[in-house]
Structure formats: C-alpha cells, structure tokens
Amino acid sequence: MKKISTLLLCIILFSFQTLWAQLNYTAASGVNTTQTYTDLGTNGTVIATSEVDDANSAPQDIGFNFVFNGTTYTQFILNTNGFIKLGAVAPASAGIYDVLLSSVSDVIAAMNLDLTGGTSPEYRVYTSGVAPNRTCTVQFKNVRDFFDAPATAPQFASMQFQIKLYETSNNIELAYGTFVAGSAPATAIGPVAGIKGSDAYSSINVSKSSTSAWSTSTFLKGPYTGNMHNIRNSVLPDAGRTYRFVSVALAANDAGVQRLYTLGKIPLNFGAPHVVQSIIRNDGGATLTNLQVTLNVTGANTFTNTQTVASLAPGASATVNFAGFSPANVGTNTVTVTVPADDDNSDNSLATTQAINTNTFSYADNSAAVRSVGFDTRAGIVSTKYYMNGNGSVTDVNVFLVNSASSVGNTVYAVVLNAAGAIVGRSADFVITAGDLNKYKNFSIVVAPSLSNTEFYVGLAQTANATATYNPVGAQNEALPTRSGAFYRGPIDGSTPPTEMTAQGRFMIEAIVTTAPLPVTLADFSGRINGNVALLQWTTSFESNSDKFEIERSSSTGAWTRIGTVAAAGNSTSTKSYNYADPGLNPGGWLYRLKIVDKDGQFVYSSIVTLNVTGSTITTLLQNYPNPVSDVTRIPYSIGKDATITIELYSIEGRKISVINKGLQQTGSYNTNVNARALGLANGKYIYRLVIQDKATGEITTLQKEMNVIR
C-alpha cells in the first residue's frame, strides 16, 4: 500500500449554499442479482495505460449518449484502481483508493481499491447491440490488490469485473466474474463499490461486511457510515454477481441531512457553548422554502434547537449552525439532526454520539482509524484546533499512532500552539516502539501553557528521517466536504501559521485541559430552593486582584444567561462569604455557575450547582455528579423539613472514610462537594450516605447511593 503523505466551526447561520446537478439514482431502486458473466475475449478495444498501478487512460468512447448526474456523456477515463470517470478530463491524481474522499466527480466504481496488475492484466471496452438499446462494457481483467511490506502476498491473486452502461435507460451495472484467492491471510479490505455524482453525498453505494456473502449486499445513499463494500479472500463473489443501479425520476420534495459536524468529546466548563453544524441538501426537483432543521441532544444532556432555511434550490446545499449548547452532565450524548418527512425519508436524519467529560477535547469518534497522516521523511506538525472557553491549561496531548512498521524508531513529540500558530508548550522527545502502535499515546506537556478564551492547536511534531517514510498520526474517514477550522499541518518550528487540511478526515489528536490557576480560591459553592427562590451561597479562602462574580443560570435544555453580579473582595487572605437570591422560578431543573472575573478581564467558571423546583416536601438523595469522579464531585439532595444533615462516605466493604457534618439546614435542595483527590480515594466503588435528623421530632432517616472513582 502506498503511503498517504498529505495529510471552530463558523457561527453564522448559513455559511454557504452550493448548487450541484442532481443524481438520477436512488438506493431504493438498486438491485442485487446474478446474471451470466461473459468475458469480452477479443471483442472491443484494449484500453492502454502507462502502467497497471495508479494510472489513468486517455478518453475512451462510450458509443452513445449516456446521461448521468444531469450531464450527457459520450466518453470516459479508466483508472486502474477499479473505477471510471465520465467525461474526457482525467482525475488530477491517478492514485485514488477512495473516490468518496476525493474531489473527483461523476465516477462509477466497481472495485475502487489500491489495485495493480496480476498475471497478464488487461483493460478493455466494447459497445454492443443496436441503437437505442446498446451496452458499453468496460472490463478489468486479471488485476489484484496492491501489497507492500509487511504483507508478503495479495489477498486476491486475480480479479475480473465489469462496468456496464446502458443506452436510453441510463442504467448501470457492476458485474463480477471469477476472483482467485491469494496466499495472504484473510482480513477485511474496504473498497468502494458504487456511483458518485458531484460529491460523496450525491452517491449510491453498496455495503456488506467482509464475512458476509455478496448476495447480502445492500444499497445506501451517501457516504459509508458503517461497512464499506468489505471483502476478504475467504468470501469470494458467486458467479455473475451483479449490482444494478436503476435510473429514476427525481422526487419533487427531498431534503436530506448531508453532514453532521460536532465534537466526539467535549470537556465541561472548557468546551461550551458548543455549536453543532449540519449541511442540508435539496435532492428533489422543487425549490424548498422555510425548511425546518432541528437539532436534538439526548442522553446525559438534553437540548433542542430549530433553524429555518428560507430557500433551497434543487441540488443546492446549505450549512446550518445551531444555537450553542452547554452540557452540564458527564456521560454520553446522542446528537441528531432531522428535517421534516418528505418524498424520500431515507436521508431525513443523521445521528452521532459524543462523550461529555471533565477534561478532553476530541474530534474523533468510536470508529476505527483508517489512514495515516504525516510528512513521509520530512519534518512537520500535524495538529487539530480547538477553542478554550474561560481559563485553562493544556497539560497533555493524546495522539493515535497508526499501525505502521515504518514509524518504529522515529522521534516525535507533542506540541501546543497558540492562536497564531506559535509553539507555547511541548512534551519530551519520544521514540516510537512497536508497542505504541494502533492506540492512543499520551504525551505530557513539560510546562502546561495557560490559555484564556482563545483558539489553540495541539499536535504531533514529526522529525525528519532520511531512510524511512512514516506518517504516524491516525485519521478517520470524514466524507467531503470536511468540516472547516479543525485539521492542520505546519512547520515543525511553528514559524508560520498551520495550513488547513480539508480532505484527510478527522485527525485523532486530543487535548487534555485543566483549570488554570485562579485569582480566587473558591472554598464552597452551593445552593438550595426555598419555595420558588434559588438561594446561592459561596465562600472564598483567598482572592487576588478579583473584580466580580457574575451569576449565570440555565435550564436543563437551554443556554447560559447572566442573571446578576456580585462584587468581589479584590485581595483577601481570609474567608469571604457571598450570596445571591434568584426568585420567581418555574417548576423544573435549574443550573447555576459563577463566572469569576479578575480586574484584568480574565475569568474562569466555577462548578455547576443543580437545583430543582418541585414544590414537593419529599426528602431525596440524587446521584453524585460527575460519576465516575476523578477530582471533585457534587452530591445533590433535597429535604422536605428542617433537619440536621450529615454526609458519610464509606468503602464498598463498609469502612467509614469521612464524615461531612453540614449542620442544621432548612427545607430545600442542596449540593455538597466531595474532593476525591484530597481524600486520597483509590479507584473503585464507594457508598455515600445522607443522614437526616428531623429538627422537631429527632427522627433519623438515612439514604445512600454508590459512586465510582476513576483516577
């Protein structure tokens, strides 16, 4: 396999509209069948190429008019990697192993893979029949998959397949003949089999698992989100297996969710508000007006927002940016974008999952690394860009090092770059070993830089190597158009700003952040509900150059809003107490946080206090948050009567570890912080117990729950 060496979201509502021709095929009209596979023999004309590995042919005649993607074609270009491009203009590159990730348009791929010639390879074209029912057959004969060290043999010693174009109907067939297994071990290979119009979204593709029979293959609209047309040499195609793409009339109304861009991991207090972006496309024949596009976040956090696309012409795409949302809970979210039901509901929704955590930014999701990114023998930095909300320090960088033997023995190190692209932090040098491959490697930044409300980059610096090419950074497929403002390459010394890379997928580089040193040491922040009034209290044990506390509130499904300001002490080494009342609350959950601002305008956020207005007199103990906990966690509870409150912490075996006596408290909802790190808690399960002694009767009630510690 040849190495691939080349390698925030904008916040306007609609950042572009692009008009494309319409693809006159659907997944629903695809047919998986068998028919007799007939080798062309000496019929037709041999298609000459300069070589049998990564080559384009000269323009070849179809023999009739063929309509595809709104254009009438009479010629095509054959590429030795298992596809043809309609028209007389060859792809800019001949080494294309995934046409969906490339910029090449109007292609038909039968086995788009890194292919080369086997024994007596041949490419041939033959137009048969009588007008208006002629057939143009393009044949790939005796080709095999390309192999390179450490592989010693191909998976397929010989493959035979054809692409057939039909006059008048404009139907397309991908027909497969005899495949001969090679001597390489049977492992999954993911070629593209399908048709592509103007971009990856305007495509119809065939999908199967590598261990499934070819008869089980299905058709899907748009780029692969799961299995590609996966194959292996232990499951060969049956005789004459054929995938047929039937040309159909366009639906009148067909809006589709083309792309969904979000982060795979978002750190609380550093990565919010987060803006989800989506690309919506009109695949129908009529102009769409006032199209409602809805974002729903469910799971650990909930949020919904709807935007309106005023007008979308046939074939046009619009980029929609939703209102920012601020997650409050650690856990897994499902992020879904939908458009209303229409004439084709197969593309009306896209969904992905994301992990809300305490300290990690990441674009990558749970899918596998599929390619390598780097500089071959040259030096440079591969990086991702994030936005730091508030004050934070970048302490570590995690990089997925791909499974490439040529990376072993080479020196790399992680870097942090500021918004201008200058290096502001780096790790120690590291020599890659075989044991580091195919997983994330943690790089600790020697002096963690502090950043405040700014963009920043984290990346892997690859040193030059004169003897071996290596591209150490893993990347995941992300069909074009790749999101903007995310993935970059630049010089190893940070002397010039990095250059954005828009066609190499999601770089698997994570930023680990922590709270920067504060102008204020916040000893406690808690609250309770009295009727429909939230009563917030906080204390500080130290203040230096502090200016004010801005109180921010959010509902469980809304954005943060500033509701008040309390002046800070400025400079103090003694305990200072503050409070704030928020009256007139409606029933439901309410979130509060403090924006702690110093006199220089820099700020950080406090932890979040969650209160619930119910009007209930029921005593409850809720699950601690975050859970699992690595540092500080909050224990929320409500008491339906004035009582003396004690919180006790036990090991899972029942050994008492700590007692927090909160004293006499009034009816209401409360949050209590527990510092797992300060208590020296090891990894494992613990029990926390709420002991309530009724002020009036002395009656004691005990509630308990379990927490997990992972450090």
Side-chain angles (χ1 to χ4, degrees), residues 385-462:
K385 183 165 71 174
Y386 301 106
Y387 186 88
M388 179 76 76
N389 179 57
N391 287 357
S393 296
V394 182
T395 60
D396 299 82
V397 178
N398 292 336
V399 182
F400 192 96
L401 300 177
V402 292
N403 191 7
S404 172
S406 57
S407 295
V408 174
N410 289 298
T411 300
V412 296
Y413 55 89
V415 294
V416 182
L417 298 86
N418 63 18
I423 296 174
V424 293
R426 62 159 287 175
S427 72
D429 287 354
F430 177 77
V431 179
I432 299 174
T433 70
D436 301 310
L437 300 178
N438 205 33
K439 60 185 177 182
Y440 278 99
K441 168 65 182 176
N442 174 262
F443 296 85
S444 178
I445 302 302
V446 177
V447 179
S450 295
L451 303 167
S452 179
N453 300 303
T454 184
E455 293 177 337
F456 68 99
Y457 305 80
V458 291
L460 188 73
Q462 169 183 341

Side-chain angles (χ1 to χ4, degrees), residues 37-103:
Y37 184 91
T38 303
D39 186 274
L40 293 183
T42 59
N43 292 323
T45 305
V46 171
I47 301 175
T49 57
S50 59
E51 55 178 317
V52 293
D53 182 36
D54 291 349
N56 291 316
S57 73
Q60 306 293 312
D61 291 332
I62 295 174
F64 49 81
N65 291 340
F66 185 77
V67 179
F68 183 90
N69 199 30
T71 301
T72 299
Y73 289 103
T74 60
Q75 291 184 308
F76 68 89
I77 305 290
L78 178 139
N79 183 279
T80 58
N81 289 311
F83 69 91
I84 64 172
K85 182 186 185 307
L86 296 172
V89 179
S93 170
I96 298 175
Y97 317 130
D98 189 338
V99 291
L100 296 179
L101 285 179
S102 75
S103 59

Side-chain angles (χ1 to χ4, degrees), residues 37 39-42 116-124 139-144 158-161:
Y37 184 91
D39 186 274
L40 293 183
T42 59
T116 189
T119 302
S120 303
E122 181 187 79
Y123 314 104
R124 183 176 289 269
Q139 179 170 284
F140 295 74
K141 184 174 182 177
N142 296 332
V143 298
R144 62 169 176 81
S158 181
M159 304 181 193
Q160 333 294 326
F161 53 88

Side-chain angles (χ1 to χ4, degrees), residues 520-539:
V520 169
T521 300
L522 193 65
D524 180 67
F525 176 41
S526 62
R528 68 182 182 90
I529 294 293
N530 185 4
N532 67 345
V533 180
L535 301 175
L536 306 175
Q537 307 91 31
W538 64 98
T539 59

